[in-house]
Amino acid sequence: MSSAYRKPDTCWQHHAALNGGMTYREPARTTTHRIRIRWIPVAGLLVVIAAIAASLGYQLLASSSSPAASPSHVLRGKHPGAFGEAVPSTVWPADGQAAFVETGQSQVHAGPNQHAAPIASVAKVMTAYLVLRDHPLGPGEDGPRITLTDADVADTERRHGQQESVVSIAAGEQLTELQALQSLLLPSANNIAAVLARWDAGSVDRFVARMNAAARSLGMTQTRYTDPSGFDDATVSTAADQVRVVDRAMRLPVFASVVATPSATLPVAGTVHNTNTLLGHNGFVGVKTGSDDAAGGCFAFRAIRWIDGKRTTITGVVLGQPGHDKIAAGLAAADAMVDRIADHRAVPDLKQRTLPLGTAPRSHLPQLRARRRQQSTRGETMRNGRVGGMVRPQPRGRRGRALV
C-alpha cells in the first residue's frame, strides 16, 4: 500500500465529546441568592441540550445531502457502500488507481494509491464540460459554427507529426459546436481541443486557467491542468478527483448524449468512431477513454445496472492500467470493477440502454474477451491466495457474466 493511502479513515467521521460538570455549594440565606442558584444547573442543562442539538443537526445535514449535489466526500479503503456493505479491497484493479460513486450518494469511494498522475485524454471531460457550461446546448441544437483557419490546419499538422490523436480539417471548414464536441469526445481529437479552447476563452492559456478554476470549485484538490487535451504529461489528477467532474458533466444532457454516440459524421474527416468500445455492452453508457505511455490506460465511465431490484448508476474512473493495448486495458479494468461493485447481483439495464447491442465499434472486443479468459484462469489459480485488481473472487460454481 502506498504512503499516499496510509491515512486514518477520518475524512467522513466526526467525533465530538461534551464534557461538563457542576459544583454545588450551600445555598445562601437570602431568597434572591436561592433563586440565582436554582437557575445555575438549569442554564447549564440548556447549554448541554443546545450543544447536542447542534451536533445532531450537523450529522443529519451531512447524511441527507441532496442527490443532485456533487460528490463531496472521499471514502478510502473499506467503507460502507450503497447497500450498507463495505467496499471490499478486491473491487479495485491490481494496478493504477480507481474510484467510483453510485446513484444518490455524495461520497466518492476511492481505492488505494490515490496520487496525482497523468490522465491523458480523460482531461477532455473537463474541456467539454466548460464549453457546454459557457455555451449551453439544448436537445436537438447544433450550436454556433466555428470556422477553422490556416493556423488551425498548421497546428493539426504539427500534432499529427507528434503522433497525437487528431481529425482531418481544412481551412474554411465550419464545425458546429456539437460537431466539435463529437470530434473531441469520440475519436479524441487533440487539435479540436485546442480549437474549442481558443473559441471559448480567446486563448489556450486562458482556457487552461478556467479549467483549473473549475477544478478548484469542484473540490478537485489534487488536479492540475496544463492543456485542454491531456497530451501534456503535466496535466495530472487522481481517479477520485476525476469522478467529480465526470459526474457533473454527465448531468448535461448534450454531453451525456455525445459520449453515448458510437459514431458521427464530420464535414472533412467523414465518419469518426467512439474509442469507447464498451459502449452499449454490460450497461455502459459512456464516458471517455485515455491512453499514453505516461498515463497508461485510463477510462472515465458510467454504467447502469439493476442491483437488488434497483436501477443503479455507477460513475467511475480507472487510471494507470498497464498493457500493450492501453485503451483495452482501461476498458477491461472498468468492466471488471463494475462487475465486482455489483457483486454478481446485477444485470445490464436493457430497458434504458442508449444503444442496441452490437452497435458499438468492436475493435477492442477481442482483446477484452482475451483479458476475461486470462482473469478467469488467474481466478482459478489464485482463489485461495491473495486476490486483487482484475481477479474476481467467487465461490466455485458461480459463473461470471461474459462480455457480449
Side-chain angles (χ1 to χ4, degrees):
M1 184 174 293
S2 70
S3 60
Y5 184 58
R6 295 172 186 159
K7 295 182 181 179
D9 299 328
T10 59
C11 58
W12 64 286
Q13 297 172 337
H14 301 274
H15 303 286
L18 295 175
N19 299 318
M22 297 181 184
T23 56
Y24 297 91
R25 60 184 178 183
E26 290 295 324
R29 294 180 180 177
T30 65
T31 302
T32 303
H33 287 174
R34 287 192 186 97
I35 293 173
R36 182 179 299 123
I37 291 171
R38 288 192 189 104
W39 277 102
I40 288 174
V42 174
L45 180 61
L46 289 175
V47 170
V48 173
I49 292 173
I52 293 173
S55 176
L56 290 175
Y58 175 82
Q59 293 176 17
L60 287 172
L61 181 62
S63 64
S64 61
S65 300
S66 169
S70 293
S72 56
H73 302 292
V74 177
L75 306 184
R76 292 179 171 84
K78 280 196 173 184
H79 291 280
F83 311 104
E85 304 168 350
V87 177
S89 60
T90 51
V91 159
W92 311 113
D95 301 288
Q97 55 183 297
F100 72 93
V101 66
E102 294 184 34
T103 304
Q105 289 189 325
S106 61
Q107 297 86 9
V108 175
H109 296 277
N113 200 32
Q114 296 290 317
H115 67 283
I119 59 174
S121 289
V122 171
K124 291 170 179 142
V125 173
M126 177 64 85
T127 298
Y129 169 70
L130 288 183
V131 168
L132 283 168
R133 185 196 68 178
D134 297 342
H135 307 275
L137 292 179
E141 294 181 351
D142 294 331
R145 293 184 176 275
I146 304 169
T147 302
L148 302 179
T149 66
D150 290 329
D152 295 325
V153 173
D155 180 64
T156 298
E157 292 173 351
R158 178 184 64 82
R159 293 177 184 277
H160 183 264
Q162 296 177 171
Q163 297 185 330
E164 294 188 40
S165 174
V166 300
V167 293
S168 298
I169 63 172
E173 177 186 2
Q174 290 188 328
L175 294 176
T176 65
E177 179 183 346
L178 180 61
Q179 289 172 328
L181 290 169
Q182 291 169 335
S183 304
L184 177 77
L185 295 171
L186 272 60
S188 199
N190 291 0
N191 56 331
I192 303 303
V195 167
L196 282 169
R198 289 189 289 267
W199 178 69
D200 178 81
S203 74
V204 170
D205 287 343
R206 282 196 290 269
F207 187 82
V208 169
R210 292 184 183 184
M211 295 175 78
N212 286 306
R216 289 192 296 271
S217 71
L218 292 174
M220 299 165 65
T221 58
Q222 298 187 69
T223 297
R224 178 174 178 262
Y225 293 101
T226 60
D227 71 324
S229 69
F231 181 76
D232 187 354
D233 295 343
T235 288
V236 295
S237 186
T238 65
D241 273 8
Q242 286 300 303
V243 166
R244 298 176 186 273
V245 66
V246 173
D247 179 76
R248 182 61 66 93
M250 287 296 284
R251 300 180 196 183
L252 303 176
V254 172
F255 179 93
S257 175
V258 170
V259 297
T261 304
S263 63
T265 302
L266 305 175
V268 171
T271 301
V272 294
H273 296 283
N274 198 327
T275 58
N276 172 15
T277 53
L278 273 179
L279 190 62
H281 301 273
N282 283 1
F284 280 86
V285 296
V287 180
K288 185 72 189 76
T289 63
S291 68
D292 61 32
D293 290 340
C298 305
F299 185 32
F301 62 87
R302 172 163 287 184
I304 301 173
R305 299 287 181 91
W306 286 97
I307 302 177
D308 289 344
K310 297 180 181 178
R311 185 176 185 267
T312 303
T313 299
I314 301 170
T315 304
V317 174
V318 295
L319 303 176
Q321 299 305 302
H324 176 70
D325 187 335
K326 295 179 177 60
I327 292 180
L331 294 169
D335 195 24
M337 190 172 101
V338 169
D339 279 350
R340 293 194 188 98
I341 292 169
D343 192 26
H344 297 279
R345 294 170 300 176
V347 296
D349 184 4
L350 300 177
K351 293 182 180 179
Q352 299 294 330
R353 185 179 300 281
T354 303
L355 300 172
L357 284 173
T359 59
R362 305 178 67 86
S363 60
H364 290 110
L365 294 184
Q367 294 96 314
L368 291 174
R369 291 194 183 100
R371 282 180 173 272
R372 288 228 173 220
R373 287 193 294 270
Q374 293 171 3
Q375 292 160 25
S376 176
T377 302
R378 289 176 60 195
E380 290 297 325
T381 58
M382 299 176 63
R383 194 178 303 279
N384 297 320
R386 180 182 180 275
V387 181
M390 304 288 289
V391 180
R392 184 186 308 131
Q394 52 185 334
R396 291 188 181 273
R398 178 181 290 181
R399 298 179 60 190
R401 184 171 59 257
L403 182 68
V404 295

